[in-house]
Coordinates of all heavy atoms in Angstrom, one line a residue:
Q100 N -41.7 45.3 -10.1 CA -43.0 45.7 -9.5 C -43.7 44.5 -8.8 O -44.2 44.5 -7.7 CB -44.0 46.2 -10.5 CG -43.5 47.6 -11.0 CD -44.4 48.1 -12.2 OE1 -45.1 47.3 -12.8 NE2 -44.4 49.4 -12.5
R101 N -43.6 43.3 -9.4 CA -44.1 42.1 -8.9 C -43.4 41.7 -7.6 O -44.1 41.3 -6.6 CB -44.1 41.0 -9.9 CG -44.7 39.7 -9.4 CD -44.7 38.6 -10.5 NE -45.2 37.3 -9.9 CZ -44.7 36.2 -10.3 NH1 -43.7 36.0 -11.1 NH2 -45.2 35.1 -9.7
L102 N -42.0 41.7 -7.6 CA -41.3 41.4 -6.4 C -41.6 42.4 -5.3 O -41.8 41.9 -4.1 CB -39.8 41.4 -6.7 CG -39.3 40.3 -7.6 CD1 -37.8 40.6 -7.9 CD2 -39.5 39.0 -7.0
N103 N -41.8 43.6 -5.6 CA -42.1 44.7 -4.5 C -43.5 44.3 -4.0 O -43.7 44.5 -2.7 CB -42.0 46.0 -5.2 CG -42.2 47.1 -4.1 OD1 -41.4 47.1 -3.1 ND2 -43.1 48.0 -4.2
G104 N -44.5 44.0 -4.8 CA -45.8 43.7 -4.4 C -45.8 42.4 -3.5 O -46.4 42.4 -2.4
L105 N -45.0 41.4 -3.9 CA -45.0 40.2 -3.1 C -44.3 40.5 -1.7 O -44.7 39.9 -0.7 CB -44.2 39.1 -3.9 CG -44.9 38.5 -5.1 CD1 -43.9 37.6 -5.8 CD2 -46.1 37.7 -4.6
Q106 N -43.3 41.3 -1.8 CA -42.6 41.6 -0.5 C -43.5 42.3 0.5 O -43.6 42.0 1.7 CB -41.4 42.5 -0.8 CG -40.6 42.9 0.5 CD -39.4 43.7 0.2 OE1 -38.3 43.2 0.4 NE2 -39.5 45.0 -0.3
D107 N -44.3 43.3 0.0 CA -45.2 44.0 0.8 C -46.3 43.1 1.4 O -46.7 43.2 2.6 CB -45.9 45.2 0.0 CG -44.9 46.3 -0.3 OD1 -43.9 46.3 0.3 OD2 -45.2 47.0 -1.3
S108 N -46.8 42.2 0.5 CA -47.8 41.2 1.0 C -47.2 40.3 2.1 O -47.9 40.1 3.1 CB -48.3 40.4 -0.2 OG -49.2 39.4 0.2
I109 N -46.0 39.9 1.9 CA -45.4 38.9 2.9 C -45.1 39.6 4.1 O -45.4 39.2 5.2 CB -44.1 38.3 2.3 CG1 -44.5 37.4 1.1 CG2 -43.3 37.5 3.4 CD1 -43.2 36.8 0.4
R110 N -44.6 40.8 4.1 CA -44.3 41.6 5.3 C -45.5 42.1 6.1 O -45.5 42.4 7.2 CB -43.3 42.8 5.0 CG -42.0 42.3 4.4 CD -41.0 43.4 4.4 NE -40.5 43.7 5.7 CZ -39.9 44.8 6.1 NH1 -39.6 45.7 5.1 NH2 -39.4 45.0 7.3
S111 N -46.6 42.2 5.4 CA -47.9 42.5 6.1 C -48.3 41.3 7.1 O -48.9 41.7 8.1 CB -49.0 42.8 5.1 OG -49.4 41.6 4.4
W112 N -47.9 40.1 6.7 CA -48.2 39.0 7.6 C -47.0 38.7 8.5 O -47.1 38.2 9.6 CB -48.5 37.7 6.7 CG -49.9 37.9 6.1 CD1 -50.2 38.3 4.8 CD2 -51.1 37.5 6.7 NE1 -51.5 38.3 4.6 CE2 -52.2 37.8 5.7 CE3 -51.5 37.1 7.9 CZ2 -53.5 37.6 6.0 CZ3 -52.9 36.8 8.2 CH2 -53.8 37.0 7.2
L113 N -45.8 38.9 7.9 CA -44.6 38.7 8.7 C -43.7 39.9 8.8 O -42.8 40.1 8.0 CB -43.8 37.5 8.0 CG -44.5 36.2 7.7 CD1 -43.6 35.3 6.9 CD2 -44.7 35.5 9.1
P114 N -44.0 40.8 9.7 CA -43.3 42.1 9.8 C -41.8 42.0 10.0 O -41.1 42.8 9.7 CB -44.0 42.8 11.0 CG -45.3 42.0 11.2 CD -45.1 40.6 10.7
T115 N -41.4 40.8 10.6 CA -40.0 40.7 11.0 C -39.2 40.2 9.8 O -37.9 40.0 9.9 CB -39.8 39.8 12.2 OG1 -40.4 38.5 11.9 CG2 -40.4 40.4 13.4
A116 N -39.8 39.7 8.7 CA -39.1 39.2 7.6 C -38.2 40.3 7.0 O -38.6 41.5 6.9 CB -40.1 38.7 6.5
R117 N -37.0 39.9 6.6 CA -36.1 40.9 6.1 C -36.5 41.3 4.7 O -37.1 40.6 3.9 CB -34.7 40.3 6.0 CG -34.4 39.2 5.0 CD -32.9 38.8 5.0 NE -32.7 37.7 4.1 CZ -32.4 37.9 2.8 NH1 -32.4 39.2 2.3 NH2 -32.2 36.9 2.0
E118 N -36.1 42.5 4.3 CA -36.3 43.0 2.9 C -35.4 42.4 1.9 O -34.3 41.8 2.2 CB -36.0 44.5 2.9 CG -37.0 45.3 3.8 CD -36.8 46.9 3.6 OE1 -35.8 47.2 2.9 OE2 -37.5 47.6 4.2
L119 N -35.9 42.3 0.6 CA -35.1 41.8 -0.4 C -33.8 42.6 -0.6 O -33.9 43.8 -0.7 CB -35.9 41.7 -1.7 CG -37.0 40.6 -1.8 CD1 -37.8 40.9 -3.1 CD2 -36.3 39.3 -1.8
S120 N -32.7 42.0 -0.8 CA -31.5 42.6 -1.1 C -31.3 42.7 -2.7 O -32.0 42.0 -3.4 CB -30.2 41.9 -0.5 OG -30.1 40.7 -1.1
V121 N -30.3 43.5 -3.1 CA -30.0 43.6 -4.5 C -29.6 42.1 -5.1 O -30.0 41.7 -6.1 CB -28.9 44.6 -4.8 CG1 -28.5 44.5 -6.3 CG2 -29.4 46.0 -4.4
A122 N -28.8 41.4 -4.2 CA -28.4 40.1 -4.6 C -29.6 39.2 -4.8 O -29.7 38.3 -5.7 CB -27.4 39.5 -3.6
D123 N -30.6 39.3 -3.8 CA -31.8 38.5 -3.9 C -32.5 38.8 -5.2 O -33.0 37.8 -6.0 CB -32.7 38.8 -2.8 CG -32.1 38.3 -1.4 OD1 -31.3 37.4 -1.5 OD2 -32.4 38.9 -0.4
V124 N -32.7 40.1 -5.6 CA -33.4 40.4 -6.8 C -32.7 39.9 -8.0 O -33.4 39.3 -8.9 CB -33.6 42.0 -6.9 CG1 -34.2 42.4 -8.2 CG2 -34.4 42.5 -5.7
L125 N -31.4 40.0 -8.1 CA -30.6 39.6 -9.3 C -30.7 38.1 -9.4 O -30.8 37.5 -10.5 CB -29.2 40.0 -9.2 CG -28.9 41.5 -9.3 CD1 -27.4 41.8 -9.1 CD2 -29.3 42.0 -10.7
R126 N -30.7 37.3 -8.2 CA -30.8 35.9 -8.3 C -32.2 35.5 -8.8 O -32.3 34.6 -9.6 CB -30.5 35.3 -6.9 CG -30.5 33.8 -7.0 CD -30.1 33.2 -5.6 NE -31.2 33.4 -4.6 CZ -31.1 34.2 -3.6 NH1 -30.0 34.8 -3.3 NH2 -32.1 34.3 -2.7
L127 N -33.2 36.2 -8.3 CA -34.6 35.8 -8.8 C -34.8 36.2 -10.2 O -35.4 35.5 -11.0 CB -35.6 36.6 -7.9 CG -35.7 36.1 -6.5 CD1 -36.5 37.1 -5.6 CD2 -36.3 34.7 -6.4
A128 N -34.1 37.3 -10.7 CA -34.2 37.7 -12.1 C -33.5 36.7 -13.0 O -33.9 36.5 -14.2 CB -33.6 39.1 -12.3
A129 N -32.5 36.0 -12.4 CA -31.8 35.0 -13.3 C -32.4 33.6 -13.2 O -32.0 32.7 -13.8 CB -30.3 34.8 -12.7
G130 N -33.6 33.6 -12.6 CA -34.4 32.3 -12.5 C -34.2 31.5 -11.3 O -34.6 30.4 -11.1
D131 N -33.5 32.2 -10.2 CA -33.3 31.6 -8.9 C -32.7 30.2 -9.0 O -33.2 29.2 -8.6 CB -34.6 31.5 -8.2 CG -34.5 31.3 -6.7 OD1 -33.3 31.5 -6.2 OD2 -35.4 31.0 -6.0
T132 N -31.6 30.2 -9.8 CA -30.9 28.9 -10.0 C -30.5 28.2 -8.8 O -30.5 26.9 -8.8 CB -29.7 29.1 -10.9 OG1 -28.7 29.9 -10.2 CG2 -30.0 29.8 -12.2
T133 N -30.1 28.9 -7.7 CA -29.6 28.2 -6.5 C -30.7 27.6 -5.7 O -30.5 26.9 -4.7 CB -28.9 29.2 -5.6 OG1 -29.7 30.3 -5.3 CG2 -27.7 29.7 -6.4
A134 N -32.0 27.8 -6.1 CA -33.1 27.2 -5.3 C -33.4 25.8 -5.8 O -34.4 25.2 -5.4 CB -34.3 28.1 -5.5
R135 N -32.6 25.3 -6.8 CA -32.8 23.9 -7.2 C -32.8 23.0 -6.0 O -32.1 23.2 -5.0 CB -31.7 23.4 -8.1 CG -31.9 24.0 -9.6 CD -30.7 23.4 -10.4 NE -30.4 22.0 -10.1 CZ -29.4 21.4 -10.7 NH1 -28.6 22.0 -11.6 NH2 -29.2 20.2 -10.4
S136 N -33.6 21.9 -6.1 CA -33.6 20.9 -5.0 C -33.0 19.6 -5.4 O -33.0 18.6 -4.6 CB -35.1 20.7 -4.6 OG -35.8 20.2 -5.7
D137 N -32.3 19.5 -6.6 CA -31.8 18.3 -7.2 C -30.3 18.4 -7.3 O -29.7 17.8 -8.2 CB -32.4 18.0 -8.5 CG -32.2 19.0 -9.5 OD1 -31.8 20.2 -9.1 OD2 -32.3 18.8 -10.7

Side-chain angles (χ1 to χ4, degrees):
Q100 291 174 342
R101 183 179 175 213
L102 290 176
N103 188 55
L105 288 172
Q106 177 177 251
D107 290 342
S108 177
I109 291 173
R110 297 195 71 192
S111 67
W112 287 94
L113 302 172
T115 58
R117 69 177 180 86
E118 294 184 353
L119 286 172
S120 66
V121 174
D123 294 333
V124 173
L125 291 175
R126 186 174 68 248
L127 292 168
D131 199 13
T132 61
T133 58
R135 279 180 45 182
S136 60
D137 59 343

